[in-house]
Amino acid sequence: MEEKRNKPTVIEGVAPGMCTGCGACINLCPRKALSFAADRFGYFVPEIDQDKCDRCGLCHRVCPAINLPPRQNSRAPALYAFAAKDTDLLRKSTSGGAFGVMAEHILSQGGYVAGCAWKKDWSSSLKPAAGDRGEDEALHAEAFSGDDAPKASDASAAVSKAPLKPVAAHVIIDNKEDLSLLHKSKYLQSYMGTIFSEIAALLRKGRKVLFSGCPCQVAGLRSFLRKDYDGLICIDLLCAYTPSQAFFAKYIKETFPELPAAYEFRNKTAGKWQTYAVRVGFASGRTIAVPNSANTYQLAFNRRVMIPPHCIRCRYHNLPRYGDLTIGDFWGINKRDPNLDCKQGISAVLVNSRKGKIFLESLPADHIRLLEAKPLIWLGGNGAAFKGMQHSSSPGTQVFYSLINKTSFQEAAETALAVYGGRDVTPLQGRRCLHVTGTGISFKFQPKSWEQHFIRGTAFLFSGDAAAGAYACIDLDQETVCGREYVLCVKCRIATDSEQIDFYLTDKKNKREQLVLTRSVAAADRTNTAGICVKFSADNAYDSFMLKSSQLTGNLAYIAFEEITLIEYRDDPYETNATPELNSEKGSGRIKDFLARKLHWLR
């Protein structure tokens, strides 16, 4: 073997919990030293054969989790409501049939379509190798710790040595008869295999290829190809997240007496797009329909208890997108535009590039029932596409991951769902400047003036009369923008002899401050936790949330915080009226409704 070089590999470079399993590194490795394996939870990760690796560094360079590809598409894409004319295609589609119409158009030109398809063999084997659990469990716990700093680690530690038998994988088709394989959403991680290499081979031959996948998969393809091809159209999805196939396989094995021959996550029961039911077919010809309310897997998915770290910290879904086009459900359009016929489903289509615009305009008009431009804000929180948004986890997420390899899927999911209790850890709407809860609420202050203690998950901030003039601050995740409107929400309990407590934003460098919320203090505030909020316009760029000690007076004065959130105010995604005035009774109600969708404790 030739002498090895000394460049880092992807295994050493990718931070724990950040590998998306896109396979760019595996497809690029010139010595075939990398292959897919499954970690303890069944997520696809690269595994390295050190005897084959010559440390050329190509895998490290191509990994989008290490080196994010450049974003070249529009920061303000055009948004369209889309519905196919073919009723049979609509029935086969999850929403409005946008993917089906686009795929048929490429196929009619002699092109190829790549997307996720069910495998014929449902007896998935993604179990980890025995004895490897402890290290991987530690890595997974670290990934959920909230520390985003990249750490060098063996990303393939604690992986399965058994051959992988995925239940869903990306495939390439070249005829309309096989298109049904790619229809319908699959709510699990797709196995990518050698799909990037196959696409590259077709493009080099001058073939047209339509690739559909999650934003991380499109980013992986862009990194792998290293250049754009005229014949390539990339579609990324307004996805929520992709759970492990191991979870799904475990659920299937426990739930059904025989392996299914077909599984449809979003069956349009009675022809209705928003009627949720799972449809399962068996080799005997028998089919069953299970409503989401009775489907543990779907409940666990919808309430985000199965979300992996790489989806919580997704770096690929924000604007500008990596796909030439973005497609997904156009949730809420029936409330925005009540005159639309939405029963069969409506797709949201984002046009992100000139190539995407040309392709959309080339679709046969007689295949389209609806193609109407809509305001971008109508997209709402779908796919967390706007800057500052992120996918939320659940209070039950860590519970699920701690149990899933020790007990049944049903027990792990039901226990996690019980912890969930209708709450999200992070708000999905609005440009978030600050969101801290419980022990994550950590103020900065002079120790001689303040004390901070955590009692039963609540952050207590104590101050005495001697600390008059001192202040305590929490740094914002993002600075406010002068002239924009924000909503500050605080859930706290107050004990002070002062008649009121004031909450400020401040710019520590320039020593500017803005009073944004005043709370009158009553005797009941010592024992009762209250959620208080205000909408305001920022008069400067501020980088910190601030309290002054002068208002915490008396014996054992304190503020006990459970949650602090500062988000940029946006009109309710389903509200078409003007922004409300806070002082009016009607406006206050609408503000409360707006916040109720984002902060569980205001419900």
Side-chain angles (χ1 to χ4, degrees), residues 258-262 281-286:
E258 59 178 307
L259 288 176
F282 301 92
S284 62
R286 182 173 65 97

Side-chain angles (χ1 to χ4, degrees), residues 406-420:
K406 302 174 184 176
T407 185
S408 67
F409 178 88
Q410 188 80 10
E411 183 174 342
E414 288 183 352
T415 304
L417 289 168
V419 174
Y420 166 78

